[in-house]
Amino acid sequence: MTGRAALRLSRLRRITAEGQGGRPAEARGAKPRRRGAQPKVVALGGGMGLSASLAALRRITGDLTAVVTVADDGGSSGRLRDELGVLPPGDLRKALAALCGDDDWGQTWARVIQHRFQSKGDLHEHAVGNLLIVALWEQLGDHVQALDLVGRLLGAHGRVLPMSAVPLELQALVKGHRPERPDEVDTVRGQATVALTPGEVQSVHVVPHDPPAVPEAVAAVLDADWVVLGPGSWFSSVIPHLLVPELLDALTQTKARRVLSLNLAPQPGETEGFSPQRHLEVLGRHAPKLALDVVLADEAAVPDRDSLTDAAKRLGAAVELAPVARTDGSPRHDPELLAAAYDRIFRMHGRIGPWR
């Protein structure tokens, strides 16, 4: 970072501290971080699935890092990406919001960064947090330091990192993307298009094909006690992490235990008609050398437990079933129930550690 950028960072840190009244992290609702006292957890994903996981995990550990996909090309993120050539900030923003505390400070800032402008001009539907993140990227010239600074401003209960240092384009081979030609396989480009395809996604890849991983994300995975993958849009938020070679190597080599959190229901378009075990099968095809330790699923969302158990065994994993869905009937995770499930898994399946 240049001397000028370093000076800007110093000034922004001082402004942030002054804006918080000089309050320590504990007074802003952030838990004090005691190294070694809690499991070091890395959660990978994007969108609302990762947000659900983070909202649960921040309740049980203060040593939490989110590694976020950077292939979004729709909405506010897509517009900023196209106009400025930056990483899409939307999923990073959502992760930061999910890490905000439940106190007034955290919830106020969560609402602010999630706020979208409504107008008849160019600002329409832009999220405040997207603009803030991109502004800091331009000011500091460093993705990681800018996100760390936003996290400090929010009093976030964890760290947010992009999985790659360059914006990625998601491409998929889709059978029946054009309804009039149901048996043909087409290449579909763009995360937003893949997520809504009416066809059957066969496989996905990213462009560039060998994207650089963010070093801090790789280091976090290698240093973790637990790595959590999912829930989320399977082909557009979960599997892309396995398509970054350095990140996949870290996931394969880490001594951390690995838990895969399944979705509560198939996603219309992207995984329409998928059974829980089919989610595991397609993940295994994209990363055949990746072993898992635990597969977490909502007990009410698994009609065939034996088939899921068999699919999990092929990946080296045990199945844990728990009630993790909201009680209103919507296919959304309840953060308290999901936190309880993660905590039980960490204690039952984890190596003996100081957090036990």
Side-chain angles (χ1 to χ4, degrees):
M1 181 168 51
T2 66
R4 183 176 297 177
L7 179 60
R8 285 197 295 263
L9 176 59
S10 176
R11 289 174 177 169
L12 283 166
R13 284 175 173 166
R14 184 174 67 251
I15 291 169
T16 299
E18 291 171 354
Q20 295 169 353
R23 295 180 298 165
E26 295 91 326
R28 300 195 308 273
K31 298 177 182 177
R33 293 169 64 84
R34 294 182 296 130
R35 291 292 295 180
Q38 301 176 82
K40 290 179 283 190
V41 181
V42 176
L44 299 92
M48 298 310 297
L50 177 62
S51 294
S53 204
L54 295 175
L57 290 166
R58 68 174 171 81
R59 287 167 161 79
I60 58 175
T61 182
D63 202 333
L64 177 59
T65 301
V67 179
V68 183
T69 184
V70 288
D72 190 8
D73 61 348
S76 172
S77 287
R79 290 159 61 193
L80 290 168
R81 171 178 174 165
D82 291 342
E83 183 173 345
L84 302 173
V86 296
L87 294 179
D91 285 344
L92 297 161
R93 181 200 80 243
K94 292 174 185 175
L96 284 163
L99 289 174
C100 286
D102 294 322
D103 61 332
D104 289 342
W105 180 273
Q107 290 306 295
T108 297
W109 274 109
R111 289 192 298 270
V112 168
I113 66 170
Q114 295 282 55
H115 176 76
R116 291 184 183 272
F117 295 104
Q118 301 297 314
S119 74
K120 297 180 180 179
D122 292 340
L123 272 178
H124 182 65
E125 281 297 307
H126 269 307
V128 171
N130 289 356
L131 301 178
L132 174 63
I133 291 169
V134 172
L136 284 170
W137 283 343
E138 291 193 346
Q139 286 283 309
L140 303 180
D142 187 295
H143 293 117
V144 172
Q145 288 192 2
L147 289 166
D148 284 345
L149 184 58
V150 177
R152 290 182 59 195
L153 172 66
L154 306 181
H157 293 233
R159 192 182 195 192
V160 174
L161 300 169
M163 72 176 185
S164 177
V166 298
L168 306 179
E169 179 185 76
L170 188 70
Q171 296 187 0
L173 294 178
V174 180
K175 182 179 180 181
H177 177 67
R178 292 176 289 178
E180 70 275 12
R181 298 182 179 180
D183 296 324
E184 289 191 7
V185 175
D186 293 304
T187 298
V188 176
R189 294 174 172 82
Q191 178 177 310
T193 305
V194 172
L196 297 175
T197 178
E200 178 183 340
V201 179
Q202 308 283 299
S203 64
V204 292
H205 61 275
V206 293
V207 177
H209 294 281
D210 189 13
V214 168
E216 290 86 350
V218 172
V221 170
L222 292 174
D223 191 44
D225 296 307
W226 276 93
V227 173
V228 177
L229 186 62
S233 300
W234 216 243
F235 288 106
S236 52
S237 293
V238 177
I239 290 178
H241 289 82
L242 311 179
L243 307 178
V244 179
E246 293 169 312
L247 192 54
L248 177 58
D249 288 344
L251 288 167
T252 303
Q253 297 169 14
T254 182
K255 294 181 180 180
R257 295 292 177 96
R258 290 158 289 227
V259 58
L260 179 70
S261 187
L262 288 176
N263 294 334
L264 297 172
Q267 181 175 341
E270 189 171 320
T271 54
E272 187 73 46
F274 273 35
S275 63
Q277 54 268 26
R278 189 172 177 189
H279 285 76
L280 300 189
E281 291 164 359
V282 299
L283 185 140
R285 288 202 301 269
H286 284 84
K289 294 183 179 180
L290 179 64
L292 301 173
D293 293 283
V294 180
V295 172
L296 171 63
D298 185 83
E299 53 190 2
V302 181
D304 187 344
R305 298 188 180 189
D306 290 341
S307 294
L308 178 60
T309 299
D310 290 342
K313 284 182 178 177
R314 289 193 287 272
L315 298 178
V319 172
E320 287 289 338
L321 300 178
V324 293
R326 293 180 183 266
T327 57
D328 60 5
S330 64
R332 295 182 298 161
H333 287 84
D334 181 282
E336 296 289 348
L337 294 176
L338 188 57
Y342 282 143
D343 186 59
R344 184 172 61 256
I345 288 170
F346 293 169
R347 294 176 183 278
M348 290 178 59
H349 296 271
R351 300 174 177 85
I352 299 298
W355 64 86
R356 295 195 60 178

